Amino acid sequence: MHESLERHFPAAAVKPEYGGAIIWLRLPEDLDAKVLHDLVEPEGIFFETGGFTFSDEQSNRNHIRLGYSVIDEALIAEGIDRIARAVPEARSAEAGPA
């Protein structure tokens, strides 16, 4: 998972040192994780938006929590690819009609 994240979101995720079950990904500041979530969920890509874990959710709405401990390893790279491909559409959706 971390290799795929580094390819699409360089330096945006911290690789766990001792294993674990999740990786936090910080998206660009102008991207709302909920908008991205709503775009990829119909494709079977699931993640939790992370803003709720911060005391100031609005200022941290660009975080997502990616679980991987129960995901087939063969599916992880494709899931990260799909998330990355949805980023431009999420930005457009958030900006609204021109």
Side-chain angles (χ1 to χ4, degrees):
M1 178 177 274
H2 197 263
E3 289 172 9
S4 293
L5 289 170
E6 278 298 304
R7 184 172 46 256
H8 293 291
F9 304 97
V14 177
K15 186 175 183 177
E17 291 183 33
Y18 302 107
I22 64 162
I23 291 180
W24 280 99
L25 176 64
R26 188 168 110 192
L27 300 167
E29 295 292 328
D30 64 334
L31 190 59
D32 187 330
K34 176 74 170 116
V35 173
L36 183 61
H37 173 272
D38 292 347
L39 287 171
V40 299
E41 186 178 44
E43 297 182 42
I45 309 299
F46 302 101
F47 60 80
E48 292 181 319
T49 58
F52 73 92
T53 62
F54 296 89
S55 61
D56 181 5
E57 183 174 343
Q58 281 305 105
S59 296
N60 294 286
R61 59 189 178 73
N62 63 319
H63 290 76
I64 63 175
R65 191 166 90 167
L66 298 160
Y68 60 88
S69 63
V70 296
I71 306 297
D72 182 340
E73 207 171 308
L75 300 175
I76 291 175
E78 177 62 24
I80 300 302
D81 289 346
R82 288 182 182 192
I83 290 170
R85 287 193 310 259
V87 166
E89 187 178 350
R91 280 192 166 126
S92 295
E94 193 171 2

